[in-house]
Amino acid sequence: MGLSLLTRNLWSTLCFLILTSFCNLLLLVRHQSRETSLQSAISPLHRQNCTSPESAIPWELSGPVKSRTSLFSCGINSKTRLGFFLQKLSDKLLVHKNDCREMVVYGVAFGMDHMQYILEDHGKIDVASLIERHNRCFFMFVLEEDIGSQTVSADGLDWLVSFPRQVLPYTSMRRNAKILKYYGHFLFPFAETIVWQDAKFRRPDFVTKRPSDYTAMRQDACMSVVALPIHKNTFGKNNVRRKGYQPSFRDHCETVVDALKKRPHVTDSNRTLMKQCNLYEQDVPKKASLDRYLVDTGFIVWNFVSKGCRGFNSVFQCTMSDQLQCHSDRDQVPFPFVLGMMGLHQENPGAQTSTNYLRLLDRSKASRVHITPSSCHWYFTALGNCDAGTDNPLQPEKGPTLAPPKVAVMVAGSLKRFFVNSTAQRVLKPLVQQNYDVDLFLFLTVAKGVAYRQELGYMDLIVPDPIFGSNPSNEGIKATIEGLVRKVGATPTQIVIRDKVELESSRLVRKKRRVARTLFPNEHVDTRFPMLDLRPKAVTRTIIGNQNMLKLFYSLQLLWESLVQNEKVVGKKYDYVL
């Protein structure tokens, strides 16, 4: 019996060992199968197919977060030069934790092309209002060599955070900037909302497109973006002219490549960008997402409040970093592919981003991505100004409207006769309230001039609008006007304040005066045009009247030229011009 019991125990132990080994073998096979499956799923994007000329540079920021497109990982590796610098920087930024826990807005301006708009105060940003709403929680990462000891932007809005050039791993400053773009959560780990805002929103032609209230840009999702506008700059002139055109990833790639032929130094990968696009299109199951999820990455809102969003955003941002290190430094190209790799589904199938909000959900039906329609892009209106049913964007009865009609208001004349508050409250504000997108083009002269009916006496009694105060500078006048215009929801697109109008700057006036000197050498050159009154008592005032009219219409001509140029920049014509 004892032997039999011992035999049974040995047999049981042997069976257990055999079973355990078999189970471990199954687990190993399964693990290898998963790895093979993963590599198969990402075969078009395998690291051996990288197209970037800098893809061989070692990745210095590996960590616990895994990419969805390779075995690439992300974190703050303090053992590397860049990782050590970012860790120290993150520690320094903790001083803003209490003030900026709710929201941080940041961007990168590497190089003087961007810094020129940061080191000069153009007076186009309502700094006091933004700081009152969001505290001083605006940051701009810059090169140490570009700012010296300066710590804030010229207008006092942005903290300037300097980077020594030697800690940046890539020759391409665009790629260095894009890596930081998708590492904000490591640099500001205390912030519940992190807003990426491109440095181009500092440019005079974009600065008025910034939100006046950044909290209005937050949506019920982990990430909020704006769809690419249907515009010649994004999809090509011939394509967007077609009736009913819908965004196409292929069209976008070809348009970008065509544009790079004129500006080959904008990116380091212009020759291989189309190869990257082809690689993405090989992944057929994700091809629909390439067309549907084209967004403008110039403005992104990240929500890090919930654990689910922190996990989703970290993986998405790591996957984007993976693609930027492997391929082109233009992040709008990989964005729709990476979004397609995140395992999301569309809440409103069939909706298009040109006219509809899109909300992407995960398997648990949690909202992960919110895409605002392209009709609300900053090409067409200021961010936050587009009323497209934000309370419940996917309900048909509260669905998005098309871009509001655009109205340009042109005003030219003397500061003495211009009442800015009345213009803002009685002209601009009613238009805004009627859902018009209103741009103001204004040309004012401040020097005292002679009036057509000077002898009537009342002209000496006219005084400027008291809102400007006594002896205001041209810059002060401009800042006051821009502030009041923005306050009513309009955009001060072109505000020109000059001492006087120089008629000799007009080619047409110079030509007309040359003719007058030839035909009537004994008369003043402005005697006969545009008014003609040769009565002796009227000649003097006629000359004055002619000069005043020429100045007025020359000022309007300059505003009109600025208006036409603005239409070319944004790719959309005004519906009405007043």
Side-chain angles (χ1 to χ4, degrees):
M1 292 292 293
L3 182 60
S4 177
L5 179 60
L6 177 63
T7 302
R8 285 199 302 270
N9 288 338
L10 288 173
W11 177 249
S12 298
T13 302
L14 181 62
C15 288
F16 175 76
L17 292 174
I18 293 174
L19 182 61
T20 301
S21 299
F22 180 71
C23 289
N24 287 336
L25 178 62
L26 286 178
L27 288 173
L28 177 62
V29 171
R30 183 182 179 188
H31 176 72
Q32 291 176 337
S33 176
R34 284 190 63 188
E35 291 296 317
T36 302
S37 176
L38 174 62
Q39 293 297 335
S40 176
I42 63 173
S43 57
L45 305 177
H46 195 275
R47 303 297 290 185
Q48 67 184 12
N49 291 325
C50 288
T51 60
S52 166
E54 297 189 294
S55 60
I57 293 177
W59 175 245
E60 295 189 24
L61 299 174
S62 58
V65 182
K66 305 299 182 183
S67 167
R68 286 288 178 91
T69 51
S70 76
L71 302 180
F72 189 91
S73 67
C74 301
I76 296 290
N77 183 357
S78 59
K79 295 182 179 180
T80 66
R81 181 174 54 182
L82 178 60
F84 179 79
F85 178 83
L86 293 184
Q87 182 62 64
K88 293 295 184 182
L89 176 59
S90 178
D91 293 342
K92 290 180 180 179
L93 291 173
L94 285 174
V95 70
H96 302 284
K97 180 177 180 179
N98 292 334
D99 288 337
C100 304
R101 183 185 300 275
E102 182 178 345
M103 178 178 288
V104 162
V105 180
Y106 83 109
V108 175
F110 287 163
M112 290 307 297
D113 286 348
H114 301 294
M115 287 301 299
Q116 60 180 313
Y117 306 118
I118 297 171
L119 298 179
E120 296 180 13
D121 183 1
H122 296 278
K124 292 191 174 185
I125 301 177
D126 189 351
V127 174
S129 177
L130 287 173
I131 292 178
E132 181 181 0
R133 283 193 177 101
H134 307 298
N135 296 327
R136 197 179 295 275
C137 297
F138 296 81
F139 300 83
M140 188 67 71
F141 296 158
V142 299
L143 290 177
E144 188 176 70
E145 64 201 52
D146 290 339
I147 61 166
S149 60
Q150 189 168 341
T151 58
V152 294
S153 57
D155 57 15
L157 179 63
D158 292 320
W159 292 106
L160 301 183
V161 182
S162 63
F163 275 68
R165 183 182 286 267
Q166 59 267 27
V167 306
L168 299 171
Y170 303 111
T171 302
S172 167
M173 281 299 157
R174 178 187 283 265
R175 178 171 286 106
N176 287 325
K178 295 302 170 61
I179 296 302
L180 296 175
K181 179 175 185 173
Y182 294 98
Y183 254 66
H185 55 305
F186 288 110
L187 299 172
F188 304 100
F190 51 82
E192 296 178 348
T193 300
I194 298 178
V195 179
W196 166 267
Q197 182 173 258
D198 270 5
K200 67 186 175 188
F201 281 97
R202 275 282 184 174
R203 282 169 29 190
D205 53 336
F206 275 94
V207 70
T208 57
K209 302 300 184 180
R210 298 163 62 120
S212 58
D213 183 0
Y214 284 78
T215 56
M217 304 306 298
R218 292 187 296 199
Q219 303 292 340
D220 183 20
C222 303
M223 176 173 61
S224 301
V225 288
V226 180
L228 269 182
I230 298 179
H231 186 275
K232 64 180 181 180
N233 292 347
T234 53
F235 298 108
K237 182 187 295 185
N238 293 333
N239 291 322
V240 299
R241 285 177 173 176
R242 299 205 311 263
K243 185 177 181 180
Y245 176 78
Q246 292 298 331
S248 160
F249 179 75
R250 169 61 54 168
D251 291 343
H252 178 59
C253 288
E254 292 177 349
T255 301
V256 172
V257 170
D258 286 342
L260 289 174
K261 293 176 182 177
K262 300 177 183 178
R263 299 189 302 161
H265 303 296
V266 171
T267 181
D268 66 351
S269 311
N270 55 326
R271 294 183 178 180
T272 57
L273 186 59
M274 189 54 71
K275 181 180 178 181
Q276 179 185 0
C277 294
N278 293 336
L279 286 172
Y280 290 158
E281 288 185 323
Q282 289 176 21
D283 189 12
V284 178
K286 305 296 185 299
K287 195 168 183 178
S289 72
L290 295 180
D291 293 340
R292 189 163 294 171
Y293 304 150
L294 288 162
V295 307
D296 196 320
T297 57
F299 191 92
I300 307 175
V301 182
W302 307 96
N303 174 3
F304 286 93
V305 174
S306 69
K307 181 179 179 180
C309 279
R310 290 193 293 273
F312 173 86
N313 288 340
S314 296
V315 172
F316 180 88
Q317 291 171 332
C318 184
T319 309
M320 283 295 296
S321 299
D322 182 4
Q323 295 305 298
L324 289 165
Q325 205 271 346
C326 182
H327 294 293
S328 166
D329 51 18
R330 302 184 69 88
D331 58 331
Q332 283 178 183
V333 172
F335 195 98
F337 183 86
V338 173
L339 203 53
M341 297 295 289
M342 297 302 294
L344 305 176
H345 65 276
Q346 194 170 312
E347 186 178 55
N348 51 339
Q352 299 292 334
T353 54
S354 56
T355 54
N356 294 93
Y357 279 92
L358 297 188
R359 184 180 296 171
L360 306 183
L361 313 178
D362 64 10
R363 293 180 180 179
S364 67
K365 296 185 178 181
S367 179
R368 296 306 185 205
V369 181
H370 178 101
I371 304 178
T372 298
S374 61
S375 57
C376 295
H377 190 272
W378 52 87
Y379 274 14
F380 311 128
T381 184
L383 285 166
N385 275 5
C386 189
D387 182 12
T390 55
D391 292 337
N392 195 358
L394 301 176
Q395 294 297 323
E397 65 273 18
K398 293 185 178 180
T401 60
L402 296 175
K406 289 180 69 67
V407 177
V409 178
M410 297 199 312
V411 180
S414 168
L415 177 67
K416 277 190 175 183
R417 301 191 185 194
F418 180 67
F419 294 92
V420 60
N421 208 38
S422 295
T423 301
Q425 295 295 329
R426 303 298 182 185
V427 179
L428 305 181
K429 186 176 180 179
L431 288 170
V432 172
Q433 290 175 334
Q434 295 174 58
N435 200 34
Y436 287 99
D437 185 6
V438 184
D439 288 353
L440 176 65
F441 294 79
L442 178 67
F443 192 116
L444 296 178
T445 56
V446 298
K448 183 177 180 180
V450 181
Y452 174 57
R453 291 286 189 175
Q454 184 68 32
E455 72 274 9
L456 296 182
Y458 72 89
M459 295 302 301
D460 289 330
L461 303 178
I462 296 178
V463 296
D465 190 328
I467 198 169
F468 296 116
S470 59
N471 299 319
S473 65
N474 289 2
E475 292 75 16
I477 294 169
K478 185 177 180 180
T480 299
I481 294 172
E482 288 178 337
L484 289 173
V485 171
R486 288 195 186 97
K487 189 174 181 180
V488 299
T491 302
T493 304
Q494 179 78 355
I495 308 296
V496 180
I497 310 296
R498 292 186 182 173
D499 292 333
K500 61 181 179 178
V501 178
E502 297 291 349
L503 284 177
E504 283 297 313
S505 299
S506 168
R507 180 180 58 84
L508 294 176
V509 170
R510 293 198 305 271
K511 180 179 179 180
K512 197 71 177 177
R513 285 177 169 178
R514 283 197 301 268
V515 173
R517 290 189 186 98
T518 302
L519 297 178
F520 309 102
N522 297 323
E523 292 182 0
H524 191 282
V525 290
D526 296 322
T527 300
R528 295 172 178 262
F529 182 80
M531 294 190 300
L532 179 61
D533 189 345
L534 298 178
R535 292 177 298 164
K537 67 176 184 179
V539 171
T540 301
R541 75 183 186 194
T542 299
I543 293 171
I544 294 172
N546 285 339
Q547 291 175 341
N548 288 346
M549 279 194 286
L550 289 172
K551 291 175 182 177
L552 173 64
F553 287 105
Y554 180 48
S555 301
L556 288 171
Q557 177 189 332
L558 294 175
L559 291 179
W560 178 259
E561 291 171 355
S562 177
L563 183 152
V564 172
Q565 180 61 30
N566 188 62
E567 288 181 327
K568 291 179 180 179
V569 170
V570 303
K572 181 176 174 61
K573 292 188 175 182
Y574 287 98
D575 298 286
Y576 305 97
V577 178
L578 305 181

